């Protein structure tokens, strides 16, 4: 179902300009207008879903396969040294466009991107407590 106020729905419908680099029955892939690195692209499902929690399983699978396809190209054609796939779910997690999308971010030696957290050993009891809540109940 399409959302009339959604910019990515408009891109999928051809009503807003975008530089499309790949598409299939379920997905469209276009260049991000504010790239983190050279070749940064977004993969979206044609069908509108706000986020990871609401996207339909077949669309989620198709978006991931399309992202893998693009990741292969990023390495082969742009000579990237690595790739980050990223999804933000919720405003607190940096989501700004509420049509599900996967960022495909080519990574280059010395590109300067950093993890959004500083890895450090966690508290074992707190990790175990969180695991208890997360595990199958
Ligand atoms: P997020 O913050 O994870 O929701 O990512 C949204 C992404 O969409 C950002 O990286 C924006 O630069 C990108 N973006 C927003 N509008 C457009 C547009 N019209 N065409 C291409 N990319 C866009
Ligand atoms: Zn949409």
């Amino acid at each position: 179902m399409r959302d009339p106020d959604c910019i990515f729905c408009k891109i999928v419908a051809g009503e807003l300009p975008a530089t499309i680099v790949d598409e299939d029955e379920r997905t469209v892939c276009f260049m991000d207008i504010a790239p983190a690195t050279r070749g940064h692209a977004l993969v979206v499902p044609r069908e509108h879903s706000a986020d990871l929690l609401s996207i339909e399983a077949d669309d989620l699978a198709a978006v991931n396969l399309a992202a893998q396809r693009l990741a292969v190209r990023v390495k082969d054609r742009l000579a990237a040294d690595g790739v980050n796939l990223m999804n933000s779910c919720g405003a607190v997690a940096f989501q700004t466009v509420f049509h599900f999308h996967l960022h495909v971010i080519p990574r280059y030696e010395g590109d300067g991107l950093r993890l959004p957290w500083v890895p450090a050993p966690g508290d074992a009891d707190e990790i175990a407590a969180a695991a208890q809540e997360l595990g199958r109940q």
Side-chain angles (χ1 to χ4, degrees), residues 2-110:
R2 182 173 166 192
D3 177 341
D5 298 322
C6 172
I7 54 171
F8 288 177
C9 281
K10 287 183 181 157
I11 286 174
V12 167
E15 293 165 10
L16 271 183
T19 307
I20 292 173
V21 290
D22 196 18
E23 52 190 321
D24 63 24
E25 200 182 316
R26 283 183 179 268
T27 70
V28 178
C29 174
F30 53 91
M31 303 307 283
D32 195 299
I33 43 160
T37 63
R38 183 166 191 267
H40 180 176
L42 302 171
V43 185
V44 306
R46 290 183 184 276
E47 285 287 313
H48 180 88
S49 332
D51 60 24
L52 176 67
L53 302 179
S54 56
I55 186 170
E56 199 242 316
D58 286 343
D59 277 346
L60 182 59
V63 166
N64 275 279
L65 288 171
Q68 185 194 42
R69 247 183 356 249
L70 201 68
V72 169
R73 269 195 244 164
V74 149
K75 290 207 73 170
D76 288 350
R77 301 193 196 169
L78 301 184
D81 301 303
V83 184
N84 279 120
L85 294 188
M86 192 183 120
N87 169 252
S88 300
C89 180
V92 72
F94 316 132
Q95 186 174 7
T96 58
V97 176
F98 290 82
H99 177 131
F100 180 88
H101 51 282
L102 266 190
H103 295 258
V104 180
I105 306 174
R107 299 304 308 276
Y108 306 95
E109 294 291 348

